[in-house]
Amino acid sequence: MKVAVDEEKCCGAGQCVLLAPEVFDQRDEDGVVILLDEQPSENLHGSVREAADVCPAAAIEVSEDA
Amino acid sequence: MSEPSSVLVVGASAAGLATVESLRRGGYRGTVTVVGEEEHAPYDRPPLSKQVLSGNWESERSRLRTESALVETGAEFVLADPAVRLEPAERAVHTASGRTLRAEAVVLATGLRPKRLPGTDVAGVHVLRTLDDSLRLRAELSRARNVVVVGDGVLGSEIAATARGMASDVTLVGSQAAPMADQLGPRVAGMLGELHTERGVRLRPRTGVEAVQADHGRVTGVRLETGETLPAAAVVVAIGAAPATDWLAESGLRLDDGVVCDSRCRAAAGIYAVGDVARWHHEGLDRSMRLENRTNATEQARAVAANLLGADRPYAPVPHFWTDQFDAKIQVHGVPHAESEVTVVEGDPAERRFLARYTTRGTPVAVLGWNRPKQVRTRRQEVVETFSVPALEPN
Ligand SMILES: Cc1cc2nc3c(=O)[nH]c(=O)nc-3n(C[C@H](O)[C@H](O)[C@H](O)COP(=O)(O)OP(=O)(O)OC[C@H]3O[C@@H](n4cnc5c(N)ncnc54)[C@H](O)[C@@H]3O)c2cc1C
């Protein structure tokens, strides 16, 4: 699994951090997403997909084949 | 209820699409069909008053999913064909082009329609709900010298802020004491008003509009109840929106400012509602509610999908919304009341970076972050209890 985030789309809601704190964080100053792990291990795939689904700005992209 | 063999979603936007994705995520393999009124593939609305309206984004960027991601859902999208009638007992939906679609379960996700002012059917008067609305308004704002925004709720305030970067003269007219005062209360709304004034938006608070003036079918100004007339090359009416339920008028479903649902977001056997159009019973607050925000569209869709797959769980979220105006990023978890007590718990309002807690009769009802998106999320916990469903008494 490969994860990509679009910082410009991010609205700083932080839903992704609530779901997968191992993979996502937010910048202190403006709340924009920080991707901690581009290729998260398999046990995190479920919560990362969920984070991509619930992101209210559609700013997380997950590709499965990488 | 056992899993339905087929699901029909009416409304192809944030809530409708999220329902489809959550169903698939939950392992659902049945037939899924989505009917949508608009011709566009599902797109996101928050950028329509921000990046798309300002011209910073091409409209393509507001797309919610790529074409291949839509194909991957395995759902059939029937677009540019609005539903015109529902037969709940048959779970049949008739569309404008004459199609009849049937499914074992139907999800209503038709959102809202903007309210209009009477007598404003003239060129240069706009509302903002769809991508096409945003592109039309954008073209006009880039030419207009003076713009009047009518309505000082969240949408009107955002439009005024964005328009200020495009037109030389922007006035925000509204009934509230300050922009978003009904939602944020006088203190925080007062600060928002100051920000607007500082950035050159002229405010006309607590002011009604008497008439829109036009010449040869084109708007020329807005006459206020105070007697003042504001010249306007463009007018945006942002006085709220009503649930898009006109097509359900004869369905027999209960409609009362939205599709009335139980705590599972179920309107009738096999019929659910989701997103801005849904009024459901929040068990944590023990009252009926309807939310108009982006986060709810997705969260409620997840709840509906789970219930379609047999979960039978109440939907009792901690509501969340955000708004971006000039350089202010405001995030709210919970539901602030205009009359809540507001305590600044971190940071400094004078520096425009702070967190505030809203308390009503001793109960924390919301936390608000002003340019503190990360920190406000970590304080969300303070209001979770207020919204959670009381545990059943052990017997
Ligand atoms: C300009 C703008 C800015 C916003 N900014 C923010 C923000 O900053 N933060 C935030 O939290 N929220 C924001 N929102 C609110 C957020 O976008 C909505 O809560 C969200 O779009 C709701 O999703 P929905 O799918 O329920 O409804 P909608 O997005 O309204 O989608 C409903 C869809 O159903 C279609 N439809 C209607 N009738 C029929 C029919 N009879 N048959 C078939 N299809 C039909 C409509 O054409 C539409 O495509 C904003 C909204 C707007 C308009």
Side-chain angles (χ1 to χ4, degrees):
Chain A
M1 169 186 278
K2 194 153 168 37
V3 187
V5 296
D6 187 332
E7 291 183 2
E8 210 194 306
K9 277 191 174 180
C10 174
C11 66
Q15 302 280 98
C16 54
V17 191
L18 288 171
L19 284 159
E22 305 85 348
V23 181
F24 305 100
D25 196 0
Q26 288 176 275
R27 295 204 293 242
D28 281 337
E29 65 279 14
D30 59 7
V32 167
V33 62
I34 304 172
L35 184 57
L36 301 173
D37 188 352
E38 273 178 44
Q39 284 173 295
S41 59
E42 211 163 324
N43 60 316
L44 298 170
H45 287 189
S47 48
V48 170
R49 282 192 204 104
E50 224 177 307
D53 283 354
V54 305
C55 172
I60 303 172
E61 199 133 350
V62 174
S63 45
E64 304 286 346
D65 35 54
Chain B
M1 180 177 129
S2 65
E3 202 172 286
S5 63
S6 52
V7 177
L8 172 62
V9 178
V10 187
S13 184
L17 179 63
T19 306
V20 174
E21 291 185 335
S22 305
L23 280 169
R24 294 303 191 211
R25 199 66 82 208
Y28 183 65
R29 286 162 189 274
T31 308
V32 179
T33 311
V34 183
V35 200
E37 171 177 57
E38 297 181 78
E39 61 182 342
H40 305 288
Y43 60 86
D44 216 5
R45 280 170 223 279
L48 302 184
S49 51
K50 309 176 186 77
Q51 301 94 328
V52 172
L53 185 59
S54 69
N56 279 349
W57 285 13
E58 281 317 308
S59 52
E60 191 59 23
R61 277 209 88 177
S62 65
R63 249 190 104 114
L64 276 169
R65 296 290 182 262
T66 60
E67 198 54 44
S68 62
L70 292 180
V71 170
E72 255 170 56
T73 65
E76 186 193 354
F77 287 84
V78 179
L79 299 179
D81 193 10
V84 292
R85 199 157 58 83
L86 167 76
E87 293 175 76
E90 313 290 315
R91 288 182 290 277
V93 168
H94 304 275
T95 71
S97 77
R99 283 188 179 93
T100 299
L101 301 158
R102 284 194 175 75
E104 247 191 272
V106 177
V107 178
L108 309 171
T110 49
L112 308 176
R113 290 213 198 288
K115 294 181 186 162
R116 289 163 196 268
L117 284 172
T120 55
D121 199 11
V122 292
V125 178
H126 297 257
V127 292
L128 178 52
R129 183 75 194 170
T130 66
L131 178 57
D132 296 344
D133 292 340
S134 181
L135 297 178
R136 260 194 305 268
L137 180 58
R138 159 163 131 189
E140 196 137 77
L141 288 181
S142 60
R143 291 192 301 262
R145 231 186 55 76
N146 33 36
V147 176
V148 175
V149 180
V150 180
D152 52 4
V154 58
L155 185 58
S157 307
E158 278 193 5
I159 295 168
T162 304
R164 179 63 191 129
M166 305 168 73
S168 47
D169 191 314
V170 178
T171 309
L172 178 60
V173 181
S175 57
Q176 304 173 46
M180 298 184 69
D182 292 348
Q183 219 173 341
L184 302 179
R187 183 162 174 200
V188 176
M191 294 174 49
L192 189 59
E194 277 168 29
L195 176 63
H196 275 260
T197 307
E198 214 171 87
R199 297 301 182 97
V201 174
R202 292 195 290 164
L203 299 181
R204 292 291 179 275
R206 290 204 171 99
T207 303
V209 166
E210 201 162 84
V212 165
Q213 297 180 325
D215 186 24
H216 291 90
R218 160 110 225 149
V219 70
T220 57
V222 176
R223 197 169 68 241
L224 306 179
E225 279 172 1
T226 55
E228 185 184 14
T229 295
L230 303 166
V235 171
V236 190
V237 178
I239 54 171
T245 52
D246 40 322
W247 69 285
L248 296 168
E250 274 143 44
S251 65
L253 292 183
R254 232 182 102 207
L255 304 174
D256 181 8
D257 183 37
V259 177
V260 179
C261 299
D262 65 11
S263 63
R264 272 67 180 161
C265 310
R266 188 177 44 213
I271 301 190
Y272 291 75
V274 64
D276 285 7
V277 79
R279 169 169 292 286
W280 89 104
H281 188 80
H282 191 302
E283 276 190 11
L285 299 174
D286 192 24
R287 69 175 171 88
S288 139
M289 89 187 297
R290 189 172 66 74
L291 294 172
E292 299 180 1
N293 66 59
R294 184 60 184 81
T295 315
N296 177 64
T298 308
E299 289 189 339
Q300 194 168 22
R302 283 155 59 86
V304 164
N307 286 337
L308 278 166
L309 300 179
D312 192 28
R313 269 199 303 269
Y315 176 56
V318 177
H320 165 261
F321 82 91
W322 79 94
T323 176
D324 300 341
Q325 299 176 32
F326 300 109
D327 57 4
K329 275 177 175 292
I330 300 172
Q331 304 253 355
V332 179
H333 293 275
V335 182
H337 306 256
E339 68 283 4
S340 303
E341 200 179 305
V342 178
T343 319
V344 172
V345 290
E346 208 181 299
D348 183 358
E351 282 172 23
R352 295 194 168 135
R353 290 173 80 77
F354 67 95
L355 294 176
R357 187 192 302 119
Y358 286 68
T359 310
T360 302
R361 275 172 257 108
T363 305
V365 292
V367 285
L368 173 143
W370 185 303
N371 285 333
R372 277 274 184 267
K374 177 175 179 174
Q375 296 78 357
V376 75
R377 175 180 49 75
T378 59
R379 287 206 177 239
R380 173 182 180 277
Q381 201 51 39
E382 296 179 11
V383 296
V384 164
E385 171 90 19
T386 305
F387 294 87
S388 56
V389 177
L392 289 177
E393 296 283 324
N395 46 22

